Every structure is written in structure tokens, then in C-alpha cells.
């Protein structure tokens, strides 16, 4: 994998310049809809599940309620505000965020164990996919369950309606989210304002709930109820799920809109709602089954159920879009096969649709809703993947702090250890739910990680086996100058992953056609560890001889590798590229295996991945009429 060592952290002001032309108010509104959709729907079920865990003996006491609210308050303050808003958002990779961006940034500056950093990044990416299948399931299902309070007779329709909403959501992905995204921000803004308003109103039911700001009540609960504390902490983590979206969507909005949206709108409204739910339960002991919906007056119940449904669909959309972006990054970094990526907007970069990822997510999400049936059951499956992702983020952040920011260990070690204490506390508490459904996200993450490892190892073996039959390009150039074959007009471009050896397509062309073009370009396409590559660093050219030259094109992992467009820019380096007189030669390998049975399974999986990879012609945006494919067989 070709990852450039040119990655460097940039300041927040540089990040903001990327988005300056979009307008801060629009970015702020967009961040509300996309970034905070997931964490914004947590009040629907987080406090309810924490109370259920606290009432293990069937009774809920005042100390339990204040303890739960205190834990939620400090979890939001320390994990989201301090860790993510203050520190993680500053670890941008040329303006981009996300676990793979953080991995690329850390690895480019890691003086030792770069493979360990890569493995951590792969783990984090796999865990994100584990989270991506749980969020749509629990969010939409919990919102639709609100109809049971409006009309108890509708309980039998909760799962079917949830499935209908989710299937519709996945079906419309192919059309893009541009038009729908325009209303995401206003709907989510209305949602947060409603959360804050109704929470504030109910705080007056029992204002003593504000005592929970004091961390004493969290510690008091942990000391008085050690048997249930672990379960409660696992449920409270539901209140901070979605925090990783702050970092993942950094490149879309910039740091300032995300920070302002959190501090000015999201954080205050979430706190008001949680405290309002706590005060409502203190004043109405019967409101334990579903305090979020029970605290609304009758006139507001149906509108809030509809608004909650819209908010959860938006939260699900944000996770699905994040999964598409992460899959594209993984493919660009050669962690996964080339994917069929369709751009759904001609104006806005980053709006993409990945059919196979969409289908996979849809199948798994539907299976989860049918299998678990209730959001309370799904809550048991939630948390392990997210907490694992947070642990990986903390470790990679430590590398960035020391190697990129040049912070001393006296600052980094206690800070990261503090983050890891909370991360591992949440992780171990969620592990207790492994047998209740937590295995789902872990299984999904294991499958993704296994796919990445199989693809990487198989690609490396294929590269090595192919290289054995190739000769150094210098040797071929020398032979062609001494005994030149028939020369035909035009330019031939041979794509290869190894610029030091003669491409297989070139060797087969000489063998079968026994001709050589006037100009022959050995082309290598590299993916760097930066999101985007400046135009003046896009290409490098070296001349082997009069007829042979070597060109290296570099693309960032967030860019679309358009080879003809990049070659057209080489006139600045002295080469006039004419697409009409140029032919692109690609090798199409037919893979087969004859190894022992145990290894054969992995080989067949790799071969299946290779066959499913997006066509190189389309992936590199090469006109099909200018492509010549030469086949060859390779035995693994």
C-alpha cells in the first residue's frame, strides 16, 4: 500500500478556509442534521434503559434517579465535550476526520510499529461498521414504539412499520441525499429545541434534580449499588453514542460549526431533556416504562412521535452516509477491493452511493429488527462496537499528540490515561451484555476485519506471484533499444502497481503483437495518506529512454482517481497527452487455487472479492474505447 509520508496536521484556521465560501450559518445547520442526528436521538431510550438497569430489584429510589442523571451529565461533559470537542477534533488530517484519517496521520509520523498503527485503524474501521448496523435499527424502532403510547392497539404494527421505514430509507439512497439533506438541518434543529423546551418545563416538577450536577451523586450510587452499577454504566453509554460522528464528519463541515453547534444548541438541549426526564420521574413514580414519551402532554404526543421518527431517520441516514465514506476510504487505501462508487451530486463533493455496502447494511438491519423485536432488546446489542472504536481513537490520538503535535509525555500520558479509564469502563460494562445481543456488533466487526485481512494478504501474495514472472523495467528498456521490434504510431499506457518491473500487459503485448508504440508510459497510481493531493504534487515523470517513460500519479484517499484528467495536466512537465492517440493496456487476471483445503477457503474468499471488485476502467475513469485488456491466469 503506497501511503505518503507527507501527512501533517493543519491548524483550525486552515480547515475553516476550506468551508469559508459555504457560509457559517448553513454549515451550522448542516452539522445539526448530519453530525448530531445519532446522539440527538439518544434521549428516547438512554435514560429509560439506565433506569431499567438501576431497578434490578424492581424498585427505583431517589438516589438511583439522581445517580443516573449525574452519570449521564458527566459522561456527556467528559467524553463528548472534553475528549472529542476539545482534543480529537484538533487531530484533523488536512481538514479530514474519521478513524482511517487518524490512522493515516498517526502512521505517517510513527517512528516505530507502523503495522500496529495500521492494525488499530483497521480495528476501528471494522468496529464502526458494527455500529452502523445497530444505529438505524434501534433509532427507528424506538421512535416507532412511541405509537404504542398514542394508541396501544397499534403495538402489533410497530415492527412492520419500522421495517417499511428502513427499507424505504435504504431504497432511496441511490437517488442521493442532496434534496433531502436540505431539510435535515431544520428538522433536527426543531427536534433539539423541542427536547430542550419540554425538558425545561418538567425540571420544575422537581428542581432538586439539578443536584445531580454534583458528581457526588454518581459516586454515591456506585457505592450504594455496586451490583447494578456496571449494568447502569453500560446503559448510560447510550447517551454518548454518536460522539464519534463529530470527528468522522469533520471534513464536511469544519471544526468551528461542529463545536458551536454542540456548545450552543446540542449540549444544552440534551442536558435539559435528561434533567427534565429525571424530574418527571421523581414527581411521577409510575412514569418508568417510557419517561421520554410519558412526559409529553396529550396534545404534543403525536407530533413528538412523528418528529422523533423523522429525527431517527436522519440519524440513520448520517450513519449510512458515514459507512459509505468509510468504505470509500478503505478502498482507496487498498484495505478493501475497488468498490462501485456512484456520485449522486454534481455540485457537492462527498455525496456518494455504494450499492453493495447499502445492500449489506439493509439486510443486516432488517434481520436485527426482526430478530430483536424491541428497542430495549436492541439496546443490549449496542455499545460494544462504539466503545471499542473510542478506545482505538484514544490510542491513535496519543500517537498524534506526541509525534505530530510534539507534546511531552508528562501531558499526553495522564490525559490519554484519563480518557482510556472512561473508555474501558464503558467497554467492560457493555461486555456484560455480550450474551444478550452484544455479540451482533462484535460479529459484524470481526467479519469486516477478516475481509480486510484476507484482501490485504491475498493482494500481497498475488503481487509477489505476479512479480516472479516479470523482469526489471531497466532490463526490458535495454533489450528494446538493442533489438527494437516493429514500431507503431501512438502512445501506450500500461497500468502497474510496481514501477520497477515491466508490466505484465506490456510483456504479453510484445509476445503476441510483436510491436511497440512510439511512446510507452509505465503508469503507477498511488493513494497517499492525505485526503487530497495538491495539483502541483499530482504527478511525477521520469524518462527511461526515448520510447519509455515512467509516470506516477498520486491521489488522496478522499479523491476520485481520474487518470485521463491527471495525465492531461502533464503538459506542464513537457508531455502533451492526447487521449485520441493513446491506448491504455490493463492486465485482467484470472485467479484459481490448488492449495490445501484449509488455505483453499481463504483463497476462494479472496478470489470472490477480486471478481467483485469494480472494473479498473470505470474506477480510473478511462474511456472504454481506449482500453485494451490482456488476460492471464494466476494460481494462488
Amino acid at each position: 500500500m503506497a501511503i505518503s509520508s507527507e501527512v501533517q496536521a493543519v491548524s483550525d484556521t486552515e480547515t475553516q478556509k476550506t468551508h469559508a465560501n459555504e457560509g457559517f450559518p448553513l454549515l451550522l445547520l448542516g452539522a445539526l442534521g448530519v453530525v448530531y442526528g445519532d446522539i440527538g436521538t439518544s434521549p428516547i431510550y438512554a435514560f429509560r434503559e439506565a433506569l431499567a438497569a438501576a431497578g434490578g430489584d424492581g424498585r427505583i429510589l431517589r438516589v438511583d434517579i439522581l445517580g443516573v442523571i449525574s452519570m449521564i451529565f458527566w459522561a456527556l461533559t467528559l467524553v463528548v465535550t472534553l475528549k472529542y470537542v476539545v482534543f480529537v477534533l484538533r487531530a484533523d488530517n488536512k481538514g479530514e476526520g474519521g478513524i482511517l484519517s487518524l490512522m493515516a496521520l498517526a502512521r505517517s509520523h510513527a517512528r516505530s510499529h507502523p503495522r500496529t498503527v495500521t492494525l488499530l485503524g483497521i480495528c476501528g474501521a471494522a468496529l464502526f461498521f458494527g455500529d452502523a448496523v445497530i444505529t438505524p435499527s434501534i433509532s427507528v424502532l424506538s421512535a416507532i414504539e412511541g405509537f404504542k403510547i398514542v394508541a396501544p392497539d397499534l403495538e402489533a404494527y410497530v415492527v412492520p412499520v419500522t421495517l417499511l421505514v428502513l427499507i424505504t430509507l435504504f431504497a432511496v439512497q441511490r437517488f442521493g441525499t442532496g434534496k433531502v439533506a436540505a431539510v435535515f438541518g431544520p428538522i433536527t434543529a426543531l427536534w433539539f429545541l423541542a427536547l430542550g423546551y419540554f425538558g425545561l418545563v418538567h425540571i420544575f416538577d422537581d428542581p432538586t434534580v439539578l443536584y445531580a450536577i454534583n458528581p457526588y451523586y454518581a459516586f454515591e450510587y456506585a457505592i450504594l449499588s455496586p451490583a447494578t452499577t456496571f449494568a447502569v454504566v453500560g446503559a448510560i453509554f447510550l447517551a454518548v453514542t454518536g460522539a464519534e460522528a463529530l470527528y468522522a464528519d469533520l471534513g464536511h463541515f469544519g471544526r468551528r460549526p461542529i463545536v458551536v453547534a454542540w456548545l450552543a444548541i446540542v449540549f444544552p438541549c440534551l442536558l435539559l431533556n435528561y434533567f427534565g426526564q429525571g424530574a418527571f420521574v421523581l414527581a411521577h413514580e409510575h412514569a418508568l416504562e417510557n419517561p421520554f414519551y410519558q412526559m409529553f402532554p396529550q396534545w404534543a404526543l403525536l407530533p413528538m412521535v412523528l418528529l422523533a421518527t423523522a429525527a431517527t431517520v436522519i440519524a440513520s441516514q448520517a450513519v449510512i452516509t458515514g459507512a459509505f465514506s468509510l468504505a470509500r476510504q478503505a478502498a482507496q487505501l487498498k484495505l478493501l477491493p475497488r468498490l462501485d462508487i456512484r456520485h449522486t451530486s454534481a455540485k457537492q463533493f462527498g455525496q456518494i452511493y455504494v450499492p453493495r455496502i447499502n445492500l449489506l447494511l439493509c439486510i443486516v438491519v432488517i434481520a436485527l429488527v426482526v430478530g430483536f423485536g424491541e428497542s430495549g432488546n436492541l439496546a443490549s446489542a449496542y455499545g460494544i462496537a462504539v466503545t471499542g472504536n473510542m478506545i482505538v481513537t484514544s490510542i491513535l490520538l496519543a500517537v498524534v499528540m506526541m509525534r505530530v503535535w510534539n507534546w511531552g509525555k508528562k501531558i499526553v500520558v495522564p490525559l490519554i490515561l484519563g480518557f482510556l479509564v472512561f473508555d474501558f469502563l464503558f467497554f467492560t460494562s457493555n461486555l456484560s451484555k455480550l450474551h444478550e445481543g452484544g455479540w451482533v456488533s462484535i460479529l459484524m466487526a470481526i467479519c469486516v476485519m477478516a475481509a480486510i485481512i484476507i484482501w490485504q494478504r491475498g493482494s500481497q501474495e498475488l503481487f509477489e506471484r505476479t512479480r516472479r514472472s516479470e523482469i526489471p523495467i531497466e532490463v526490458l528498456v535495454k533489450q528494446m533499444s538493442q533489438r527494437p521490434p516493429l514500431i507503431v504510431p501512438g502512445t501506450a499506457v500500461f497500468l502497474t502497481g510496481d514501477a520497477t518491473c515491466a508490466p505484465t500487459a506490456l510483456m504479453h503485448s510484445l509476445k503476441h503483437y510483436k510491436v511497440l508504440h512510439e511512446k510507452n508510459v509505465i503508469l503507477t497510481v498511488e493513494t497517499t495518506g492525505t485526503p487530497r493531493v495538491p495539483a502541483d504534487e499530482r504527478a511525477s515523470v521520469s524518462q527511461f529512454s526515448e520510447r519509455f517513460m515512467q509516470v506516477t500519479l498520486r491521489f488522496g484517499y478522499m479523491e476520485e482517481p481520474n487518470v485521463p484528467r491527471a495525465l492531461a495536466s502533464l503538459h506542464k512537465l513537457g508531455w502533451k497527452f492526447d487521449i485520441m492517440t493513446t491506448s491504455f493496456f490493463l492486465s485482467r487476471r484470472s485467479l484459481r487455487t490448488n492449495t490445501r483445503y484449509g488455505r483453499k477457503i481463504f483463497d476462494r474468499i479472496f478470489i470472490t472479492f477480486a471478481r467483485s471488485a469494480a472494473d479498473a476502467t470505470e474506477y480510473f475513469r478511462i474511456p472504454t474505447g481506449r482500453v485494451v485488456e490482456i488476460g492471464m491466469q494466476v494460481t494462488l
Side-chain angles (χ1 to χ4, degrees), residues 64-77:
D64 299 330
I65 297 171
L66 291 179
V68 166
I69 293 295
S70 183
M71 289 182 185
I72 290 177
F73 171 79
W74 285 105
L76 288 170
T77 301

Side-chain angles (χ1 to χ4, degrees), residues 95-216:
E96 292 292 337
I99 192 68
L100 289 181
S101 288
L102 187 62
M103 177 205 74
L105 179 62
R107 186 173 62 178
S108 66
H109 289 78
R111 299 172 186 172
S112 59
H113 308 295
R115 291 186 178 180
T116 302
V117 174
T118 302
L119 184 60
L120 284 171
I122 292 174
C123 287
L127 289 167
F128 178 88
F129 281 108
D131 170 43
V133 297
I134 303 292
T135 296
S137 311
I138 190 173
S139 297
V140 177
L141 185 55
S142 62
I144 301 298
E145 284 174 345
F147 285 102
K148 293 192 299 184
I149 298 177
V150 177
D153 294 339
L154 297 178
E155 182 173 358
Y157 298 96
V158 169
V159 171
V161 172
T162 300
L163 293 177
L164 179 62
V165 171
L166 288 170
I167 291 174
T168 303
L169 176 64
F170 284 104
V172 301
Q173 295 302 312
R174 68 181 63 196
F175 302 111
T177 59
K179 295 181 179 178
V180 182
V183 298
F184 277 8
I187 290 177
T188 310
L190 179 61
W191 168 253
F192 280 117
L193 293 176
L195 289 182
Y197 171 76
F198 286 109
L200 178 62
V201 168
H202 284 287
I203 285 178
F204 293 100
D205 291 351
D206 191 337
T208 61
V209 72
L210 296 175
Y211 292 161
I213 295 176
N214 189 336
Y216 164 80

Side-chain angles (χ1 to χ4, degrees), residues 215-264:
Y216 164 80
Y217 289 94
F219 289 110
E220 181 187 32
Y221 176 81
I223 294 172
L224 296 178
S225 306
T228 59
T229 298
F230 229 46
V232 171
V233 170
I236 282 173
F237 182 73
L238 296 171
V240 299
T241 54
E244 66 279 2
L246 277 71
Y247 185 50
D249 291 312
L250 179 62
H252 294 287
F253 301 100
R255 181 173 179 269
R256 185 167 169 249
I258 294 176
V259 172
V260 172
W262 173 256
L263 296 177

